[in-house]
Amino acid sequence: MLLLALDTATPAVTVALHDGTDVIASSSQVDARRHGELLLPAVDRVLTEAGLRLDAVTGIVVGIGPGPYTGLRVGLMTADTFGLALGVPVHGVCTLDGLAYAADIEKGPFVVATDARRKEVYWATYADSRTRLTDPAVDRPADIADRVAGLPAVGAGALLYPETFPNAHEPEHVSAAALAGLAAERLAKGEELPEPRPLYLRRPDAQVPKNYKVVTPK
């Protein structure tokens, strides 16, 4: 097994290679505006570090969000393209699950929350680092304060809103190394992973203007 994992659902552009037992190379850069520019060089850098070619990969793992439309689609389209070109399966993993897997919290429940912009967070609760209790959702922190009160939390969304998440910790962003490790565990157990389809949870920020004037040729 050689998994190439990548995620662009948060400001982190993150890539890793996993041989089924351990991460053998990884790269993470935080830049919310340069996902498309940074992702492929990161893949090349990780392969070079591992001394491997892309055609050695036997499966792709991609973070499916939730995340902003523009960044999230970069990773998903790249993963789909690699899968088609190499003829290997593409596995989805919830980005929040990757953060939970990397969290240094021995026992839950706890919360994972990422920045959804618009003064909102993407979030879910977990029983432990491998077991999600609730479906991913997007809400204003104040609207879920009662539901997450007293729970430890990880992620950039939790760190941004200490009034709702007073017990917030790192990791701030997901790592492809965590996604790959979680995927490798589940695949080794024969579990099915989600389809590589995006969890947007809301409409994209860019919208077609309403009541625009249609110009037709005379």
Side-chain angles (χ1 to χ4, degrees):
M1 178 188 294
L2 183 65
L3 299 176
L4 173 65
L6 50 96
D7 192 292
T8 57
T10 75
V13 178
T14 179
V15 179
L17 280 171
H18 196 289
D19 64 4
T21 302
D22 294 300
V23 174
I24 58 176
S26 63
S27 170
S28 291
Q29 297 170 272
V30 178
D31 192 327
R33 298 181 180 274
R34 299 174 64 206
H35 292 92
E37 181 181 343
L38 296 175
L39 182 56
L40 289 180
V43 172
D44 183 65
R45 186 163 56 250
V46 165
L47 289 167
T48 299
E49 180 183 337
L52 296 168
R53 292 166 50 93
L54 184 60
D55 58 11
V57 170
T58 61
I60 310 294
V61 176
V62 61
I64 59 174
Y69 177 81
T70 302
L72 183 54
R73 67 178 178 173
V74 171
L76 286 163
M77 290 301 296
T78 302
D80 279 344
T81 300
F82 282 157
L84 287 171
L86 298 172
V88 300
V90 181
H91 309 287
V93 175
C94 174
T95 298
L96 300 179
D97 291 356
L99 268 163
Y101 185 77
D104 187 19
I105 300 176
E106 293 184 1
K107 185 178 180 181
F110 66 94
V111 185
V112 174
T114 59
D115 182 16
R117 305 174 187 172
R118 303 184 193 175
K119 298 182 179 180
E120 294 178 331
V121 294
Y122 298 117
W123 69 284
T125 57
Y126 290 78
D128 55 51
S129 62
R130 294 167 175 81
T131 309
R132 178 156 32 91
L133 295 173
T134 60
D135 290 334
V138 58
D139 290 288
R140 290 183 176 271
D143 294 341
I144 60 171
D146 291 343
R147 299 172 64 183
V148 302
L151 297 181
V154 298
L159 293 166
L160 273 173
Y161 301 100
E163 64 281 6
T164 298
F165 306 100
N167 192 13
H169 308 278
E170 294 186 342
E172 183 175 4
H173 302 302
V174 71
S175 72
L179 286 179
L182 180 58
E185 279 191 14
R186 290 177 173 172
L187 290 171
K189 293 177 181 178
E191 297 180 16
E192 289 190 12
L193 296 179
E195 292 291 318
R197 298 294 175 261
L199 289 172
Y200 291 130
L201 300 188
R202 68 183 184 203
R203 296 178 64 83
D205 291 338
Q207 303 263 342
V208 176
K210 296 179 180 179
N211 302 320
Y212 64 91
K213 183 177 180 181
V214 177
V215 179
T216 55
K218 295 181 179 180

